[in-house]
Amino acid sequence: MTHEVVSRIEELSGQLAATAPETERLGKLSDESVKLLRQTGIMRMLQPTEYGGLAAHPRDYAEAVMAVSRNCGSTGWVTGVVGAHPWEMALMDRRLQEEVWGENPEAWIASPYAVMGVAKQTDGGYTLNGRWAFSSGTDHCDWIFLGALLADTEGNPVMPPTVLHVVLPRKDYTIVDDSWDVIGLQGTGSKDIIVDGAFIPAYRTIEMEAVAEGELAAERAGRTDTVYKLPFWSMFPLGITAAVIGIAEGALAAHLDYQRNRVTATGTMIKDDPIVLSAISEAAADIAASRSQLLDGISRLYDLADAGKPISFEDRAVVRRNQIRCAWRAVAAVDQIFARSGGNAARRQNLMQRFWRDAHVGLQHAIHTPGSIYHSTALTTMGLEPEGPLRMMI
């Protein structure tokens, strides 16, 4: 059954698609894009119900992100990143949740989580300094999650290293406006963030390890909805990969529209060219497989949590491996159809080139790096125990 948010997105699909050129030109979401997203309710899908959210099944959330991304890759990407943050906010101190959503349930929260700053211990909390890259959708957000390395009162890193997720209001950080000049996902406005000595009260922080496992964080936060019992590295990558798959679906739709009546330079109708038609079918099957595998993975983890069963490291590793493979498979399929679209596909007025650029830049995100994840998953499925860095981001 189609979720109500997905249905609203599909009803607004034409309007969302129409915003894409301006969003790309601005280098951030246009005001119309933001307005339409608020109408759909997608940013509140993973938000707690007491703050106007839906506490939705993550499968429905991923399908909603795909639906947006099919029309505008940049807008879909922002929903995949910013839309995931209410999930972690639900696991934070209730005082912070009240600050963020108490007066404005529509408040958006940016990130990044990469450890690009240092949080030095001080009375009542921490002093934060650093510069972070890739804060998608940040111009439209009122708060931000940032990853930071915990340091003692002298500024020396605590050993063993401890990563904090810290939350700041908009007044406590600076957005670097000229820091997003890229070839794809231009409209995401994924700009740099600078923090210079901001004070972070302790209740606005959480240790990364506390949310990595899932169930423990939900218990501490008093959350009983199943969605909040899932592991961080299963939930956060979900929306990002969903955006890439949605972009691939948009590329396929644009390709079909373009090829339907196209005649090649040799006078051949594409509809009569068996080689191109075969490539279209293979690409369509690969994109569909990526979609199904991504949704199946998060659904299996949800079902385990819902049944009160533990989610093992192997469960998490396999889902992460498959999630990465979904993204690479979908983008490879886009390459196959783009290569058979002729020279006119590279023209700015052809939708294919924007989807192609967006898909490749989406694949560059750190959560799509296969190396250590594939290595770790192979060891795990052999019954061996990965150690140290091989357990990162799983």
Coordinates of all heavy atoms in Angstrom, one line a residue, residues 46 81-93 96-97 100-101 107-117 128 131-136 138 141-148 163-170 173 191 193 195 200 203-208 211 232 236:
L46 N 10.3 10.6 9.7 CA 11.0 9.9 10.7 C 11.0 10.7 12.0 O 11.7 10.3 13.0 CB 12.5 9.7 10.3 CG 12.6 8.8 9.0 CD1 14.1 8.6 8.7 CD2 11.9 7.5 9.1
V81 N 19.1 13.3 3.1 CA 20.1 13.6 4.1 C 19.3 14.3 5.3 O 19.3 13.8 6.4 CB 21.2 14.5 3.6 CG1 22.1 15.0 4.7 CG2 22.0 13.8 2.5
V82 N 18.7 15.4 5.0 CA 18.1 16.2 6.1 C 16.9 15.5 6.6 O 16.6 15.5 7.8 CB 17.7 17.6 5.5 CG1 16.9 18.4 6.6 CG2 18.9 18.4 5.1
G83 N 16.2 14.7 5.8 CA 15.0 13.9 6.2 C 15.4 12.8 7.2 O 14.5 12.3 7.9
A84 N 16.6 12.4 7.2 CA 17.1 11.3 8.2 C 17.4 11.9 9.6 O 17.4 11.1 10.5 CB 18.3 10.6 7.6
H85 N 17.7 13.2 9.7 CA 18.1 13.7 11.0 C 17.0 13.7 12.1 O 17.4 13.5 13.2 CB 18.6 15.1 10.7 CG 19.8 15.2 9.9 ND1 20.1 16.2 9.0 CD2 20.8 14.3 9.7 CE1 21.3 16.0 8.4 NE2 21.7 14.8 8.8
P86 N 15.8 13.8 11.8 CA 14.8 13.7 12.8 C 14.8 12.4 13.5 O 14.5 12.2 14.7 CB 13.4 13.9 12.1 CG 13.8 14.8 11.0 CD 15.1 14.3 10.5
W87 N 15.3 11.3 12.8 CA 15.4 10.0 13.4 C 16.4 10.0 14.6 O 16.1 9.6 15.7 CB 15.8 9.0 12.4 CG 16.1 7.6 12.9 CD1 15.2 6.6 13.2 CD2 17.4 7.2 13.3 NE1 15.9 5.6 13.7 CE2 17.2 5.8 13.8 CE3 18.7 7.7 13.3 CZ2 18.3 5.1 14.3 CZ3 19.7 6.9 13.8 CH2 19.5 5.6 14.3
E88 N 17.6 10.6 14.3 CA 18.5 10.7 15.4 C 18.1 11.7 16.5 O 18.3 11.5 17.7 CB 19.9 11.0 14.9 CG 21.0 11.0 16.1 CD 22.4 11.2 15.6 OE1 22.6 11.5 14.4 OE2 23.3 11.1 16.5
M89 N 17.5 12.8 16.1 CA 17.1 13.8 17.1 C 16.1 13.1 18.1 O 16.1 13.5 19.3 CB 16.4 15.0 16.4 CG 15.9 16.1 17.3 SD 17.2 16.8 18.4 CE 18.3 17.5 17.2
A90 N 15.3 12.2 17.6 CA 14.4 11.5 18.5 C 15.1 10.7 19.6 O 14.5 10.4 20.6 CB 13.5 10.5 17.7
L91 N 16.4 10.4 19.4 CA 17.2 9.7 20.4 C 17.9 10.6 21.3 O 18.6 10.1 22.3 CB 18.1 8.7 19.7 CG 17.5 7.7 18.7 CD1 18.5 7.0 18.0 CD2 16.5 6.8 19.4
M92 N 17.8 11.9 21.1 CA 18.6 12.9 21.9 C 17.8 13.2 23.2 O 16.6 12.8 23.4 CB 18.8 14.1 21.1 CG 19.6 13.9 19.8 SD 21.3 13.4 20.0 CE 22.1 15.0 20.6
D93 N 18.4 14.0 24.0 CA 17.8 14.5 25.3 C 16.5 15.2 25.0 O 16.4 16.0 24.0 CB 18.8 15.5 26.0 CG 18.4 15.8 27.4 OD1 17.3 16.5 27.5 OD2 19.1 15.4 28.3
L96 N 16.5 19.0 24.4 CA 17.0 19.4 23.0 C 15.8 19.3 22.0 O 15.6 20.2 21.2 CB 18.2 18.6 22.6 CG 18.7 18.9 21.2 CD1 19.1 20.3 21.0 CD2 19.9 18.0 20.8
Q97 N 15.1 18.2 22.1 CA 14.0 18.0 21.2 C 13.0 19.1 21.3 O 12.4 19.6 20.3 CB 13.3 16.6 21.4 CG 14.2 15.5 21.1 CD 13.6 14.1 21.4 OE1 12.4 13.9 21.1 NE2 14.3 13.2 22.1
V100 N 14.3 22.2 19.6 CA 14.3 22.2 18.2 C 12.9 22.2 17.6 O 12.6 23.0 16.7 CB 15.0 20.9 17.7 CG1 14.9 20.7 16.2 CG2 16.5 20.9 18.1
W101 N 12.0 21.4 18.2 CA 10.6 21.2 17.6 C 9.5 21.8 18.5 O 8.4 21.9 18.0 CB 10.3 19.8 17.4 CG 11.1 19.1 16.4 CD1 11.4 19.6 15.1 CD2 11.7 17.8 16.4 NE1 12.2 18.7 14.4 CE2 12.3 17.6 15.2 CE3 11.7 16.8 17.4 CZ2 13.0 16.4 14.9 CZ3 12.4 15.6 17.1 CH2 13.0 15.4 15.9
A107 N 10.9 22.6 11.8 CA 12.3 22.9 11.8 C 13.1 21.8 11.1 O 12.9 20.6 11.4 CB 12.8 23.2 13.2
W108 N 14.1 22.2 10.3 CA 15.0 21.2 9.6 C 16.3 21.2 10.3 O 16.8 22.3 10.8 CB 15.1 21.6 8.1 CG 13.9 21.4 7.3 CD1 12.7 21.0 7.7 CD2 13.8 21.5 5.9 NE1 11.8 20.9 6.6 CE2 12.5 21.3 5.5 CE3 14.7 21.9 4.9 CZ2 12.0 21.3 4.2 CZ3 14.3 22.0 3.6 CH2 13.0 21.7 3.2
I109 N 17.0 20.1 10.2 CA 18.3 19.9 10.8 C 19.3 19.5 9.8 O 19.1 18.5 9.1 CB 18.3 18.9 12.0 CG1 17.1 19.2 12.9 CG2 19.6 18.9 12.8 CD1 16.7 18.0 13.8
A110 N 20.4 20.2 9.7 CA 21.5 19.8 8.7 C 22.5 18.9 9.4 O 22.3 18.4 10.5 CB 22.1 21.1 8.2
S111 N 23.6 18.6 8.7 CA 24.7 17.9 9.2 C 25.9 18.4 8.4 O 25.8 19.4 7.7 CB 24.5 16.3 9.1 OG 24.3 15.9 7.8
P112 N 27.2 17.9 8.5 CA 27.6 16.5 8.4 C 28.1 15.9 9.7 O 28.4 16.6 10.6 CB 28.7 16.6 7.4 CG 29.4 18.0 7.7 CD 28.2 18.9 8.1
Y113 N 28.2 14.6 9.6 CA 28.6 13.8 10.8 C 30.2 13.5 10.7 O 30.7 13.0 11.7 CB 27.9 12.4 10.8 CG 26.5 12.5 11.1 CD1 25.5 12.3 10.1 CD2 26.0 12.8 12.4 CE1 24.2 12.3 10.4 CE2 24.7 12.9 12.7 CZ 23.7 12.6 11.7 OH 22.4 12.7 12.0
A114 N 30.8 13.8 9.6 CA 32.2 13.6 9.5 C 33.0 14.3 10.7 O 32.6 15.4 11.0 CB 32.8 14.1 8.2
V115 N 34.0 13.6 11.2 CA 34.7 14.1 12.3 C 35.8 15.1 11.9 O 36.9 14.8 11.7 CB 35.4 13.0 13.1 CG1 36.0 13.5 14.4 CG2 34.4 11.9 13.5
M116 N 35.3 16.4 11.7 CA 36.2 17.4 11.2 C 36.4 18.5 12.2 O 36.9 19.6 11.9 CB 35.5 18.0 9.9 CG 35.4 17.0 8.8 SD 34.7 17.8 7.3 CE 34.6 16.4 6.2
G117 N 36.0 18.3 13.5 CA 36.2 19.3 14.5 C 36.5 18.6 15.9 O 36.5 17.4 16.0
L128 N 33.6 23.9 21.0 CA 33.7 23.2 19.7 C 34.4 24.2 18.7 O 34.1 25.4 18.6 CB 32.3 22.9 19.1 CG 32.3 22.1 17.8 CD1 32.9 20.7 17.9 CD2 30.9 22.1 17.2
R131 N 36.1 23.0 10.9 CA 35.4 23.3 9.6 C 35.0 22.0 9.0 O 35.7 21.0 8.9 CB 36.4 24.0 8.7 CG 35.8 24.4 7.4 CD 36.6 25.3 6.6 NE 36.0 25.6 5.3 CZ 36.2 26.7 4.6 NH1 36.9 27.7 5.1 NH2 35.6 26.9 3.4
W132 N 33.7 21.9 8.6 CA 33.1 20.7 8.1 C 32.7 21.0 6.6 O 32.1 22.1 6.3 CB 31.9 20.3 8.9 CG 32.2 19.8 10.2 CD1 32.1 18.5 10.6 CD2 32.5 20.6 11.4 NE1 32.4 18.4 12.0 CE2 32.6 19.7 12.5 CE3 32.6 22.0 11.7 CZ2 33.0 20.1 13.8 CZ3 32.9 22.4 13.0 CH2 33.1 21.4 14.0
A133 N 32.9 20.0 5.7 CA 32.4 20.2 4.4 C 31.1 19.4 4.2 O 30.7 18.5 5.0 CB 33.5 19.6 3.4
F134 N 30.4 19.7 3.1 CA 29.2 18.9 2.6 C 28.0 19.0 3.5 O 27.5 18.0 3.9 CB 29.6 17.5 2.4 CG 30.9 17.3 1.5 CD1 31.9 16.6 2.0 CD2 30.9 17.9 0.2 CE1 33.1 16.4 1.2 CE2 32.1 17.7 -0.5 CZ 33.2 17.0 0.0
S135 N 27.6 20.2 3.9 CA 26.4 20.3 4.7 C 25.2 20.6 3.8 O 24.7 21.7 3.5 CB 26.5 21.5 5.7 OG 25.4 21.6 6.5
S136 N 24.6 19.5 3.3 CA 23.5 19.5 2.3 C 22.3 20.2 2.9 O 21.9 19.9 4.0 CB 23.1 18.1 1.8 OG 24.2 17.5 1.2
T138 N 21.8 23.1 3.9 CA 22.1 23.8 5.1 C 21.4 25.2 5.1 O 21.1 25.7 6.2 CB 23.6 23.9 5.3 OG1 23.9 24.2 6.7 CG2 24.3 24.9 4.4
C141 N 18.1 25.2 7.0 CA 18.0 24.5 8.3 C 18.2 25.4 9.4 O 19.0 26.4 9.3 CB 19.1 23.4 8.3 SG 18.7 22.0 7.1
D142 N 17.6 25.1 10.6 CA 17.7 26.0 11.8 C 18.7 25.4 12.8 O 19.1 26.1 13.7 CB 16.3 26.1 12.4 CG 15.3 26.6 11.5 OD1 15.5 27.8 11.0 OD2 14.3 26.0 11.2
W143 N 19.0 24.1 12.6 CA 19.9 23.4 13.5 C 20.9 22.6 12.7 O 20.6 22.3 11.5 CB 19.2 22.6 14.5 CG 18.3 23.3 15.5 CD1 17.1 23.9 15.3 CD2 18.6 23.7 16.9 NE1 16.6 24.5 16.4 CE2 17.5 24.4 17.4 CE3 19.7 23.4 17.7 CZ2 17.5 24.9 18.7 CZ3 19.7 23.8 19.0 CH2 18.6 24.6 19.5
I144 N 21.9 22.0 13.4 CA 22.9 21.2 12.7 C 23.5 20.1 13.6 O 23.7 20.4 14.8 CB 24.0 22.0 12.0 CG1 24.8 21.3 11.0 CG2 24.9 22.6 13.1 CD1 25.7 22.1 10.1
F145 N 23.6 18.9 13.0 CA 24.4 17.9 13.7 C 25.8 18.0 13.1 O 26.0 18.1 11.9 CB 23.9 16.5 13.3 CG 22.8 15.9 14.1 CD1 21.5 15.8 13.7 CD2 23.0 15.5 15.4 CE1 20.5 15.3 14.4 CE2 22.0 14.9 16.2 CZ 20.7 14.9 15.7
L146 N 26.8 17.9 14.0 CA 28.2 17.8 13.6 C 29.0 16.7 14.3 O 28.7 16.5 15.5 CB 28.9 19.2 13.8 CG 28.4 20.4 13.1 CD1 29.1 21.7 13.5 CD2 28.6 20.2 11.6
G147 N 29.9 16.1 13.6 CA 30.7 15.1 14.2 C 32.0 15.7 14.8 O 32.6 16.6 14.1
A148 N 32.4 15.3 16.0 CA 33.5 15.9 16.6 C 34.3 14.9 17.4 O 33.7 14.0 18.0 CB 33.1 17.1 17.5
V163 N 34.0 9.6 19.5 CA 33.3 10.5 18.5 C 32.0 11.0 19.1 O 31.2 10.1 19.6 CB 33.1 9.9 17.2 CG1 32.3 10.8 16.2 CG2 34.4 9.5 16.5
L164 N 31.7 12.3 19.1 CA 30.5 12.8 19.5 C 29.7 13.3 18.3 O 30.3 13.8 17.4 CB 30.7 14.0 20.5 CG 31.4 13.8 21.8 CD1 31.5 15.1 22.6 CD2 30.6 12.8 22.7
H165 N 28.4 13.2 18.4 CA 27.5 14.0 17.5 C 27.0 15.2 18.4 O 26.3 15.0 19.4 CB 26.3 13.2 17.0 CG 26.7 12.1 16.0 ND1 25.9 11.2 15.5 CD2 27.9 11.9 15.4 CE1 26.5 10.5 14.6 NE2 27.8 10.9 14.5
V166 N 27.3 16.4 17.9 CA 26.9 17.6 18.7 C 25.8 18.4 17.9 O 25.8 18.3 16.6 CB 28.1 18.4 19.0 CG1 29.1 17.6 19.8 CG2 28.7 19.0 17.8
V167 N 25.0 19.1 18.6 CA 23.9 19.8 17.9 C 24.0 21.3 18.2 O 24.2 21.7 19.4 CB 22.5 19.3 18.3 CG1 21.4 20.1 17.6 CG2 22.4 17.8 18.0
L168 N 24.0 22.1 17.2 CA 24.1 23.6 17.4 C 22.9 24.3 16.7 O 22.5 23.9 15.6 CB 25.4 24.1 16.7 CG 26.8 23.8 17.3 CD1 27.2 22.4 17.0 CD2 27.8 24.8 16.8
P169 N 22.5 25.4 17.3 CA 21.5 26.3 16.6 C 22.2 27.1 15.6 O 23.4 27.3 15.6 CB 21.0 27.1 17.8 CG 22.1 27.2 18.7 CD 22.8 25.9 18.6
R170 N 21.4 27.6 14.6 CA 22.0 28.4 13.5 C 22.9 29.5 13.9 O 23.8 29.9 13.2 CB 20.8 28.9 12.6 CG 21.2 29.7 11.4 CD 21.9 28.8 10.4 NE 22.5 29.7 9.3 CZ 23.6 30.3 9.4 NH1 24.4 30.3 10.5 NH2 24.0 31.0 8.4
Y173 N 27.0 28.9 14.2 CA 27.9 28.4 13.2 C 27.8 29.3 11.9 O 26.8 30.0 11.8 CB 27.7 26.9 12.8 CG 26.3 26.6 12.3 CD1 26.0 26.6 11.0 CD2 25.3 26.2 13.3 CE1 24.7 26.3 10.6 CE2 24.0 25.9 12.9 CZ 23.7 25.9 11.5 OH 22.5 25.6 11.1
K191 N 27.3 23.1 1.4 CA 28.3 24.1 1.7 C 29.1 23.7 3.0 O 28.8 22.9 3.8 CB 27.7 25.5 1.9 CG 27.0 25.9 0.6 CD 26.2 27.2 0.9 CE 25.4 27.6 -0.4 NZ 24.6 28.9 -0.2
I193 N 30.9 24.4 6.7 CA 30.4 25.0 8.0 C 31.6 25.3 8.8 O 32.5 24.5 8.9 CB 29.5 24.0 8.7 CG1 28.2 23.7 7.9 CG2 29.1 24.5 10.1 CD1 27.4 24.9 7.7
V195 N 32.8 26.5 12.8 CA 32.5 26.7 14.2 C 33.7 27.2 14.9 O 34.8 26.6 14.8 CB 31.9 25.5 14.9 CG1 31.6 25.8 16.3 CG2 30.7 24.9 14.2
I200 N 28.8 24.1 23.7 CA 27.8 23.0 23.4 C 27.4 22.5 24.8 O 28.2 21.8 25.4 CB 28.3 21.9 22.5 CG1 29.1 22.4 21.3 CG2 27.1 21.0 22.1 CD1 28.2 23.1 20.3
Y203 N 23.9 18.3 27.2 CA 22.6 17.6 26.8 C 22.4 17.7 25.3 O 21.5 17.0 24.7 CB 21.4 18.1 27.5 CG 21.0 19.5 27.2 CD1 20.1 19.8 26.1 CD2 21.4 20.6 27.9 CE1 19.7 21.0 25.8 CE2 21.0 21.9 27.6 CZ 20.1 22.1 26.5 OH 19.7 23.4 26.2
R204 N 23.1 18.5 24.6 CA 23.0 18.6 23.1 C 24.0 17.7 22.4 O 24.3 18.0 21.2 CB 23.2 20.1 22.7 CG 22.1 21.0 23.0 CD 22.4 22.4 22.4 NE 21.4 23.4 22.9 CZ 21.5 24.7 22.7 NH1 22.6 25.2 22.1 NH2 20.6 25.5 23.1
T205 N 24.5 16.7 23.1 CA 25.5 15.8 22.5 C 25.1 14.4 22.7 O 24.3 14.1 23.7 CB 26.9 16.0 23.1 OG1 27.0 15.6 24.4 CG2 27.3 17.5 23.1
I206 N 25.6 13.5 21.9 CA 25.5 12.1 22.1 C 26.7 11.4 21.6 O 27.2 11.8 20.5 CB 24.2 11.6 21.5 CG1 23.8 10.2 21.9 CG2 24.3 11.6 20.0 CD1 22.4 9.7 21.6
E207 N 27.2 10.3 22.2 CA 28.3 9.6 21.7 C 27.8 8.8 20.5 O 26.7 8.2 20.5 CB 28.9 8.6 22.7 CG 29.6 9.3 23.8 CD 30.5 8.4 24.7 OE1 30.6 7.2 24.3 OE2 30.9 8.8 25.7
M208 N 28.7 8.7 19.4 CA 28.3 8.0 18.2 C 28.0 6.5 18.5 O 27.1 5.9 18.0 CB 29.5 8.1 17.2 CG 29.4 7.2 16.0 SD 28.1 7.7 15.0 CE 27.5 6.0 14.5
V211 N 24.4 5.5 19.4 CA 23.4 5.3 18.3 C 23.7 4.3 17.3 O 22.9 3.9 16.5 CB 23.1 6.7 17.6 CG1 22.4 7.6 18.6 CG2 24.3 7.2 17.0
F232 N 22.3 3.2 13.5 CA 22.6 4.4 12.8 C 23.1 4.2 11.4 O 22.6 4.8 10.4 CB 23.6 5.3 13.6 CG 24.0 6.5 12.8 CD1 23.3 7.7 13.0 CD2 25.1 6.5 12.0 CE1 23.7 8.9 12.3 CE2 25.5 7.7 11.3 CZ 24.8 8.9 11.5
F236 N 21.1 6.0 8.4 CA 21.6 7.2 7.7 C 21.9 7.0 6.2 O 21.6 7.8 5.4 CB 22.8 7.8 8.5 CG 23.4 9.0 7.8 CD1 22.7 10.2 7.7 CD2 24.7 9.0 7.3 CE1 23.2 11.3 7.1 CE2 25.2 10.1 6.7 CZ 24.5 11.3 6.6

